[in-house]
Amino acid sequence: MKKLYTLAGAALLSTTISAQSSFFDDFESYTVGQYIGAVSPAWTTWSGTTGGTEDTQVNNTMNNTTGGSNSVRYSSTSATGGPQDCVLPFGGQYNTGTFNYAMDMFVTPSQGAYFNFQANTTVGQVWAMEAYMPQTGDLILSNTNGQLLTSTYPLNQWFTIEFNINLNSNVWELRINNALIGSFPNTINQIASVDIFPVNASYSGNNNSEFYVDNVSYSYTPYTLPVLNAAVTQIGGVNPGLATQVKNPVVTVRNLGTTAITSFNLALNYNSGTINLPVTSVNVASLATYTVTMAPVTLAAGSMPLSVTVSNVNGNASDGDPSDDVKTITLNPVVPVPNKIVVGEEGTGTWCPWCVRGTVYMDYMENNYDGFWAGIAVHNGDPMADSLYDIELAPLIGFAYPNMLVDRDPNNIDPSAVEAAFMSQIVVPINATISNTAQYNATTRVLDVTITYNFTAAATSAWKVICVITEDAVTGIGATYSQANAYAGGANGPMGGFENLPSPVPYTQMVYDHVARFISPSFQGGTGFPATVSPGYTQSFNYSFTLDPSWNVNDMHIIGMLVDPSGVINNASYTTANEAMIGVAEPAPAGPLVNIFPNPT
């Protein structure tokens, strides 16, 4: 069964196949109506059962073979895809050498397409790459660690999609109609089969999938390992990113020789600076990898190369293959608008088996974009639900969980697409900077919050304000705090460790973060600005919240929002309650003080 969304990394087996192999199928040798898995020894299905609904039949409606008439058709109207699910094994599990895969495709107008590369000979363990092709013409390549490349594909015409993969240097190259679209390092640098599966639910897909495939081919050329060879195969931890962010590059060195590696040197060059790091007392076996976290670098605006060179392998001046000693990537970090914070509002619930995907991506954004991102988990149908928040958000996410809004852009998204949505919003200009102050009375459990708006651009009385309180580290007792888990047992691929947990995940093992506790004065927001707001104008809004005895103020965040007249969030503030209580005093407001009180707890 094809899984739809993944994030967590996976370990790769080090298996190589020494024999050169190739394959081509234009489907012309088959009879129209035959199931390809049943008549061809090369093709099979996800389950291994051929000749049924998982298989696909040869047809002559469309084809792209000169003098031919046949192709194969895939179609589905299900949000979960299928039931067709055809697999072409590549004759082995490859992680060295070079590999080429190509096929012709025709995507029916207003329909989408999808296929993926499996990393292991046993399908369903590791997705090396997924190709999403929604009806919009967008092409998104991703794997369990995020997006790899985005582009477009030709609409309403046949085209050839091709991958040239150097598994030694970890360079995956995409071509369409023989034109180079781009290349990328793959965090899962291994390939064993292609899985062709009709589904169109992600990246604004309309759940309708129909496409034709013709002229499928692959070829593999093995690599002979030298005696001593270290290769830089991956540079992670820095891309994508934001200018001014400080990040630690994570470098993967692979032993592509037959002799164990015990020491080496790394030299990282970026933005006219060099970081040198000697690595000693290691034991990297043949075909194994070793990961090194380098000293931090500050991402700079503009397109610049970042390169890493491995040298002095086991004390030798050179190794057996210098072609893989240097890895270079290009960094062009997004330049965020100063003082901009993007808000993500996710619908979730303990009853929802797919919502663990939202948990993983919300944590990913918090960990990678702290200071630029405010995540809010709006619960539905469980003890953590805030009814005021939930009833307003639900229709905007299509009553589909764990869909989410990013800065209340009207196009709701799956959490797997949140990083791209964040990057689009972080560059949108703001009209005000926002700051929080607070006081807390431990006896009455009343949290008083002041949100101050310092305008840098004009606004009007149609602009609105919102205050949200969230809580981290939330736990509870009983089955209603246990989390349903569609990824249990790895049935739908890896997902941040949830694949190793049961379904439901017992409440004793669940800790919930970003939980929405209050939204005030309403989801739409409150008014109070004058008819004309000029740059330099400052105004504060006060809120008062009585905390439930089971809630911990030390785990709470305060989020202030400024909403433009269209309903889109223009900017936000994001601090812990403790930071707001010990923060620097705000300047005296230039405008009137407006008090807005939330509904009672």
Side-chain angles (χ1 to χ4, degrees):
M1 182 78 179
K2 163 69 189 65
K3 60 98 177 112
L4 293 183
Y5 308 96
T6 52
L7 181 68
L12 299 180
L13 301 177
S14 296
T15 302
T16 58
I17 308 297
S18 59
Q20 186 167 0
S21 59
S22 62
F23 171 84
F24 176 78
D25 197 344
D26 60 7
F27 308 105
E28 297 301 327
S29 63
Y30 313 132
T31 301
V32 172
Q34 287 183 316
Y35 287 96
I36 60 171
V39 297
S40 169
W43 291 91
T44 185
T45 67
W46 188 264
S47 70
T49 301
T50 59
T53 57
E54 261 191 318
D55 211 337
T56 189
Q57 294 171 284
V58 178
N59 85 97
N60 59 2
T61 304
M62 301 277 291
N63 84 93
N64 199 38
T65 302
T66 303
S69 59
N70 292 348
S71 66
V72 290
R73 171 180 173 268
Y74 295 87
S75 67
S76 177
T77 57
S78 170
T80 56
Q84 291 170 305
D85 203 348
C86 294
V87 175
L88 176 64
F90 296 146
Q93 185 170 290
Y94 308 122
N95 58 21
T96 63
T98 57
F99 189 87
N100 172 275
Y101 177 82
M103 65 180 172
D104 295 343
M105 300 184 71
F106 183 100
V107 182
T108 303
S110 301
Q111 306 283 316
Y114 169 90
F115 64 93
N116 69 77
F117 291 137
Q118 291 289 297
N120 296 342
T121 51
T122 300
V123 299
Q125 294 180 335
V126 183
W127 281 253
M129 191 210 75
E130 300 179 76
Y132 295 91
M133 305 168 69
Q135 74 283 350
T136 57
D138 294 319
L139 172 61
I140 301 97
L141 304 183
S142 66
N143 69 7
T144 58
N145 296 302
Q147 291 187 7
L148 300 166
L149 183 69
T150 59
S151 185
T152 58
Y153 68 90
L155 292 172
N156 199 25
Q157 61 180 281
W158 280 101
F159 62 93
T160 302
I161 186 166
E162 179 180 5
F163 294 87
N164 295 311
I165 305 168
N166 188 321
L167 295 162
N168 288 358
S169 58
N170 191 12
V171 176
W172 293 52
E173 180 184 274
L174 169 66
R175 290 180 174 269
I176 293 180
N177 292 334
N178 205 37
L180 178 63
I181 303 302
S183 62
F184 56 90
N186 195 337
T187 52
I188 302 177
N189 186 37
Q190 186 166 296
I191 192 167
S193 64
V194 64
D195 170 41
I196 304 176
F197 179 77
V199 68
N200 186 27
S202 302
Y203 301 104
S204 302
N206 60 12
N207 294 334
N208 297 312
S209 177
E210 182 182 64
F211 57 99
Y212 296 81
V213 171
D214 203 355
N215 298 319
V216 178
S217 68
Y218 70 79
S219 63
Y220 171 69
T221 302
Y223 176 71
T224 301
L225 302 181
V227 174
L228 183 66
N229 183 26
V232 181
T233 60
Q234 181 74 23
I235 304 172
V238 289
N239 203 10
L242 303 175
T244 72
Q245 273 193 302
V246 177
K247 292 200 170 189
N248 290 86
V250 180
V251 179
T252 300
V253 175
R254 190 176 183 198
N255 184 351
L256 288 177
T258 59
T259 303
I261 294 175
T262 57
S263 64
F264 55 88
N265 291 342
L266 291 178
L268 183 149
N269 292 279
Y270 174 66
N271 195 19
S272 302
T274 301
I275 299 172
N276 292 295
L277 179 66
V279 178
T280 60
S281 301
V282 296
N283 185 12
V284 187
S286 177
L287 297 181
T289 60
Y290 189 84
T291 301
V292 180
T293 300
M294 305 290 289
V297 298
T298 301
L299 302 188
S303 180
M304 298 184 197
L306 184 152
S307 65
V308 176
T309 303
V310 62
S311 63
N312 197 34
V313 182
N314 291 0
N316 290 276
S318 61
D319 62 17
D321 187 353
S323 67
D324 53 24
D325 291 349
V326 182
K327 184 80 170 179
T328 301
I329 61 174
T330 299
L331 300 187
N332 191 11
V334 171
V335 179
V337 171
N339 302 307
K340 170 91 174 186
I341 291 179
V342 175
V343 176
E345 297 168 291
E346 174 222 4
T348 187
T350 61
W351 54 268
C352 166
W354 298 104
C355 286
V356 297
R357 183 167 69 249
T359 300
V360 170
Y361 277 92
M362 290 282 277
D363 288 345
Y364 171 84
M365 294 300 294
E366 180 79 10
N367 292 334
N368 284 275
Y369 297 104
D370 184 35
F372 301 92
W373 165 262
I376 304 169
V378 182
H379 281 253
N380 168 275
D382 68 29
M384 292 168 282
D386 178 90
S387 59
L388 291 176
Y389 214 148
D390 173 43
I391 198 170
E392 296 284 353
L393 181 67
L396 298 181
I397 62 172
F399 298 97
Y401 296 82
N403 276 3
M404 67 186 304
L405 302 178
V406 175
D407 270 352
R408 296 199 180 168
D409 183 288
N411 297 309
N412 63 69
I413 61 169
D414 185 88
S416 61
V418 65
E419 189 169 30
F422 164 80
M423 289 297 184
S424 296
Q425 292 298 323
I426 197 68
V427 298
V428 176
I430 62 174
N431 285 55
T433 61
I434 309 172
S435 54
N436 305 335
T437 56
Q439 291 182 337
Y440 179 63
N441 186 316
T443 301
T444 63
R445 296 190 62 79
V446 172
L447 177 66
D448 291 312
V449 174
T450 298
I451 310 293
T452 301
Y453 297 82
N454 298 283
F455 281 85
T456 57
T460 68
S461 58
W463 289 66
K464 297 181 179 181
V465 296
I466 299 173
C467 179
V468 171
I469 305 297
T470 65
E471 185 180 5
D472 291 339
V474 176
T475 60
I477 297 174
T480 54
Y481 280 91
S482 297
Q483 178 65 57
N485 179 16
Y487 295 88
N492 290 292
M495 183 52 64
F498 279 98
E499 68 276 11
N500 300 318
L501 297 173
S503 183
V505 183
Y507 67 87
T508 54
Q509 295 179 256
M510 284 303 303
V511 178
Y512 298 91
D513 292 331
H514 325 295
V515 176
R517 291 306 197 186
F518 291 108
I519 185 167
S520 180
S522 68
F523 184 85
Q524 289 76 20
T527 58
F529 294 121
T532 300
V533 176
S534 301
Y537 178 80
T538 298
Q539 185 167 335
S540 296
F541 294 81
N542 293 339
Y543 307 84
S544 186
F545 305 96
T546 300
L547 307 189
D548 185 278
S550 65
W551 300 350
N552 187 347
V553 70
N554 296 316
D555 293 322
M556 288 188 162
H557 282 85
I558 300 169
I559 303 167
M561 304 181 197
L562 177 65
V563 181
D564 73 18
S566 72
V568 172
I569 297 172
N570 174 264
N571 197 18
S573 58
Y574 185 65
T575 63
T576 67
N578 287 333
E579 288 169 339
M581 286 186 273
I582 64 174
V584 178
E586 296 296 324
L593 190 66
V594 179
N595 292 289
I596 300 177
F597 295 96
N599 289 339
T601 302

